[in-house]
Amino acid sequence: MCGIIGYVGEKECTPILIEGLRKLEYRGYDSAGVAVLETDSQGTRTQVIRCRGKLSNLENLLRKDQPSGLVGIGHTRWATHGRPSDENAHPHKAGQVSVIHNGIIENHLSLRNQLRADGRVFSSETDTEIIAHLIDEELKKSGGDNLREAVRRALKQVRGAYAICVLAESAPDQIIAAKNASPLVLGLGDGENFIASDVPAILAHTRKMLFLEEGEIADVRKTGIEVCDLEGKRIERAPKEITWSAVSAEKEGYKHFMFKEIHEQARAVTDTLRGRLSVESADAFLDDVDLAVADTKKITIVACGTSWHAGLVGKFLIEQLSRIPVEVDLASEYRYREPIIGKGDLLLSISQSGETADTLAAVKEARQKGARTICIANVVDSSIPRASHASLYTHAGPEIGVASTKAFTTQLAALTLVAIHLGRRTGHLSEAKASELIKELLLIPSKMSDIVGLAPQIQVIARRYGQARDFLFLGRGNNYPIALEGALKLKEISYIHAEGYPSGEMKHGPIALIDVHMPVVVLAPKGPGYDKVMSNLAEVKAREGKIIAVATRGDKDIGTVADEAILIPDAPSFLQPLLTVLPLQLLAYYVADFKGTDIDQPRNLAKSVTVE
Ligand code: G6P
């Protein structure tokens, strides 16, 4: 989720790059850098200036030594491979080639080994540097005069997601840009052209934009742009006129960041699973994270808020697939009750920000007591990853809305990877079952997109019930934590009182609250426990409660009891939480939107709580 900008034209490019990066800083702020081609009578050199930290650090460096040139690229980084540091900051230079990149290269390990064997020396931990070496190598092979062709040949060797901009000293008038599964847009100007990861970065210069599609390469010069595919075939496409305001462009046209992030979930989950699953070997790989499975007697999950809900789903997954016992604790409670943990135990913390004070304290306590500490986090090299033995990163990208959405579903995806990985190693998950589950997991992102398409129906439901004073959310098994999450989302952004309950517990208390004014949101997908949930629904109906059901498409019975049925695609019960939460996020969003609350920054809440 890094920010990318490129300029080729007749103006000094450094100020244009910095101004663009400022508009992109919300995408990532671990480090920033620029590369500018400086051409004089002696020839062309690349000036690369980059450093760790916010853009202001880079601006300070540039104040002392500003590169001068008409062709340049700039980057603001959100770390995925390699911690935030000066060395890992983009651009990466290999030989005469400089590259900036947004995305994840799946086969980075094998490519790195192959390049090392060919004598290439690496100066960073990033997957991006590999691309720079590959292109430099191809450029050398072809005599150095066709950068576009060298990029094309290099990309044929790369698997994964990328949006890149490439400069070479032997090609002083051009930038080559390419895209696969990460966004990239070209801005067409008069005697100048722009490249950016997002529209806002270049909106001040042009509104004429050409969005690159998967597997396309653009040769960008001041006089024009040529686009071809990975086979080198020319592609003609007319640019679009962008009418968004600068503010709505940051949200890519969505009204709120939360709404944008709800829509990003299919992409975020794909990125989190990318390169970590193999159907053939029926296994899940956790980068370099060693869970020390053979030594693990018990797992304790600690987290706060939405991440705690992910942990509750994680317990279900890990216990069912690996048969290792799992406890789930709220981090704020955990450390004050002298937790029983030590050698042979695994503490798995979950945190989007990696900065939550309670979770951090729990990790430190468990580590001090001798437990192995692993975290699932979104922000690379934040405090919790640094305090843990190892980290498995979700690749949600920066989450701006305070109410967590895509961070939650990527946590569920990461926990599913952990559960499959453990299950295969404890021997409780057979090869056949694992490979079936992995196939289904890979189908989840497209099902998520399908559910987001139900937004108009959910908007109508939200309008119909959004005046209620209280809501009840019910779910069973691994959908119980989703009921909790649905209630939390509604509370957080609409300020309506809501409670999540296991469906079977309703009769032990909450049933007293049910009357004609109480909407009851029920998670009732097909699977184990479905019949029991249907009985619970009958109990609600008998008390005139209004039922909003999230059920499986094709379910003929649900309509007979529910007042509203949101029908979603079928999935194995292990994976259902990845889907059932989406309608609840949308419901909370639309209720809050009708109420006119501050959705992205709800009152009294903070994105990351660094006090206990
Ligand atoms: C705050 C946020 C929640 C988040 C919780 C845990 O309360 O408002 O959205 O779930 O912290 O944050 P973490 O970054 O540790 O996942």
Side-chain angles (χ1 to χ4, degrees):
M1 283 298 289
C2 311
I4 280 181
I5 172 123
Y7 174 81
V8 40
E10 288 165 355
K11 298 183 191 134
E12 272 297 333
C13 67
T14 310
I16 296 171
L17 299 177
I18 293 299
E19 179 206 320
L21 289 181
R22 218 173 283 131
K23 304 253 166 50
L24 291 175
E25 217 183 358
Y26 71 94
R27 284 183 74 95
Y29 29 75
D30 298 332
S31 58
V34 295
V36 175
L37 290 180
E38 290 189 327
T39 304
D40 58 21
S41 53
Q42 312 284 308
T44 300
R45 292 168 312 280
T46 323
Q47 271 266 26
V48 178
I49 300 189
R50 54 188 192 155
C51 63
R52 185 189 168 145
K54 297 219 166 194
L55 188 59
S56 51
N57 295 2
L58 177 68
E59 286 176 288
N60 287 339
L61 283 183
L62 291 174
R63 241 168 250 133
K64 287 180 221 139
D65 180 16
Q66 176 159 316
S68 168
L70 311 179
V71 180
I73 54 181
H75 188 267
T76 172
R77 178 166 188 250
W78 172 264
T80 55
H81 286 88
R83 65 206 162 80
S85 66
D86 287 350
E87 301 74 45
N88 290 335
H90 298 213
H92 288 281
K93 189 160 181 288
Q96 58 143 320
V97 171
S98 303
V99 174
I100 52 175
H101 166 222
N102 171 29
I104 301 161
I105 303 304
E106 285 171 28
N107 54 340
H108 66 102
L109 278 180
S110 58
L111 287 174
R112 186 183 283 264
N113 291 338
Q114 175 197 314
L115 285 160
R116 273 210 182 110
D118 293 343
R120 292 268 166 179
V121 178
F122 287 85
S123 57
S124 80
E125 303 158 306
T126 64
D127 49 351
T128 307
E129 196 186 345
I130 291 162
I131 307 179
H133 279 288
L134 283 176
I135 298 171
D136 188 54
E137 195 68 35
E138 290 298 335
L139 208 50
K140 271 199 183 135
K141 278 189 212 158
S142 67
D145 62 349
N146 192 339
L147 180 59
R148 190 203 306 184
E149 189 53 17
V151 171
R152 194 183 72 77
R153 288 219 200 102
L155 289 180
K156 297 282 270 184
Q157 303 166 55
V158 163
R159 244 190 11 250
Y162 54 78
I164 55 168
C165 286
V166 185
L167 295 181
E169 286 158 6
S170 61
D173 306 321
Q174 67 187 127
I175 301 175
I176 303 296
K179 170 205 150 72
N180 190 47
S182 294
L184 206 61
V185 60
L186 310 177
L188 281 63
D190 195 6
E192 56 183 3
N193 287 306
F194 304 81
I195 307 153
S197 50
D198 308 62
V199 168
I202 51 178
L203 201 60
H205 302 282
T206 177
R207 289 186 165 267
K208 214 163 140 195
M209 310 240 179
L210 201 142
F211 290 86
L212 278 191
E213 307 261 336
E214 308 317 333
E216 288 183 351
I217 300 175
D219 186 337
V220 185
R221 303 175 191 229
K222 71 174 180 185
T223 44
I225 289 173
E226 269 182 26
V227 180
C228 67
D229 65 15
L230 277 179
E231 304 312 317
K233 198 167 134 262
R234 276 288 293 276
I235 291 168
E236 299 291 345
R237 198 169 45 249
K240 282 190 182 150
E241 193 72 24
I242 296 292
T243 52
W244 301 340
S245 70
V247 174
S248 91
E250 256 190 18
K251 296 172 191 152
E252 285 169 21
Y254 295 106
K255 192 169 170 190
H256 297 96
F257 277 111
M258 181 186 177
F259 199 48
K260 170 175 175 267
E261 286 158 5
I262 289 174
H263 282 77
E264 279 173 357
Q265 291 181 102
R267 195 272 311 147
V269 167
T270 304
D271 283 350
T272 302
L273 301 178
R274 195 182 292 287
R276 291 168 167 171
L277 283 172
S278 161
V279 180
E280 299 80 54
S281 52
D283 207 356
F285 311 104
L286 311 178
D287 304 343
D288 295 329
V289 177
D290 177 9
L291 294 179
V293 186
D295 300 333
T296 302
K297 299 191 294 287
K298 186 187 83 183
I299 297 176
T300 302
I301 296 180
V302 288
C304 297
T306 289
S307 298
W308 177 65
H309 296 156
L312 294 173
V313 177
K315 172 184 167 76
F316 192 92
L317 282 162
I318 294 171
E319 287 191 342
Q320 301 271 320
L321 298 182
S322 77
R323 306 309 295 161
I324 298 174
V326 180
E327 277 178 15
V328 188
D329 249 301
L330 284 159
S332 54
E333 291 291 314
Y334 179 76
R335 55 192 288 246
Y336 295 107
R337 59 173 174 78
E338 288 198 39
I340 305 170
I341 192 157
K343 217 167 164 346
D345 293 327
L346 176 66
L347 182 108
L348 183 62
S349 64
I350 307 174
S351 175
Q352 185 286 128
S353 62
E355 298 295 344
T356 302
D358 287 320
T359 311
L360 179 61
V363 171
K364 287 184 175 162
E365 170 109 15
R367 187 165 181 165
Q368 194 241 323
K369 288 191 145 118
R372 192 164 165 69
T373 54
I374 305 286
C375 73
I376 292 178
N378 192 37
V379 181
V380 172
D381 218 29
S382 47
S383 301
I384 294 170
R386 278 189 273 121
S388 305
H389 286 105
S391 316
L392 178 66
Y393 289 111
T394 53
H395 293 311
E399 193 177 61
I400 315 277
V402 165
S404 187
T405 52
K406 62 175 180 170
F408 178 69
T409 40
T410 55
Q411 288 166 350
L412 297 185
L415 285 159
T416 313
L417 292 171
V418 168
I420 294 172
H421 182 89
L422 289 171
R424 292 297 290 134
R425 278 149 194 81
T426 59
H428 284 277
L429 180 61
S430 71
E431 190 176 335
K433 204 167 162 209
S435 114
E436 195 49 42
L437 196 59
I438 291 169
K439 278 189 208 146
E440 290 284 351
L441 185 54
L442 293 168
L443 296 176
I444 289 292
S446 71
K447 294 182 183 179
M448 292 178 122
S449 303
D450 174 319
I451 296 172
V452 171
L454 301 176
Q457 182 204 356
I458 298 170
Q459 187 175 26
V460 172
I461 297 173
R463 192 186 285 268
R464 219 168 264 160
Y465 299 92
Q467 306 302 322
R469 255 191 41 201
D470 310 276
F471 267 72
L472 189 60
F473 287 75
L474 300 177
R476 268 192 117 87
N478 59 352
N479 273 309
Y480 160 54
I482 302 305
L484 292 175
E485 176 60 8
L488 179 65
K489 285 288 87 85
L490 192 70
K491 275 186 275 205
E492 282 180 316
I493 59 171
S494 77
Y495 316 143
I496 293 175
H497 169 244
E499 278 191 61
Y501 248 86
S503 325
E505 274 293 296
M506 185 187 65
K507 54 189 175 294
H508 298 296
I511 199 163
L513 299 171
I514 294 174
D515 63 15
V516 69
H517 303 295
M518 170 75 106
V520 182
V521 181
V522 187
L523 298 161
K526 284 278 186 192
Y530 172 79
D531 293 338
K532 296 261 165 48
V533 174
M534 288 300 273
S535 314
N536 300 141
L537 286 188
E539 292 156 14
V540 174
K541 191 93 188 146
R543 284 150 189 91
E544 295 183 14
K546 295 284 176 237
I547 297 171
I548 303 167
V550 176
T552 305
R553 210 165 276 165
D555 181 341
K556 300 247 173 359
D557 302 323
I558 198 77
T560 59
V561 276
D563 296 273
E564 314 285 347
I566 303 167
L567 298 174
I568 63 170
D570 197 10
S573 66
F574 284 119
L575 307 180
Q576 283 172 359
L578 280 156
L579 302 180
T580 49
V581 72
L582 266 65
L584 308 195
Q585 295 168 345
L586 285 164
L587 182 68
Y589 172 79
Y590 281 121
V591 170
D593 194 33
F594 284 129
K595 291 191 75 176
T597 59
D598 187 348
I599 291 183
D600 285 332
Q601 289 177 327
R603 70 185 183 203
N604 306 340
L605 296 179
K607 183 74 191 151
S608 142
V609 182
T610 51
V611 291
E612 290 178 31

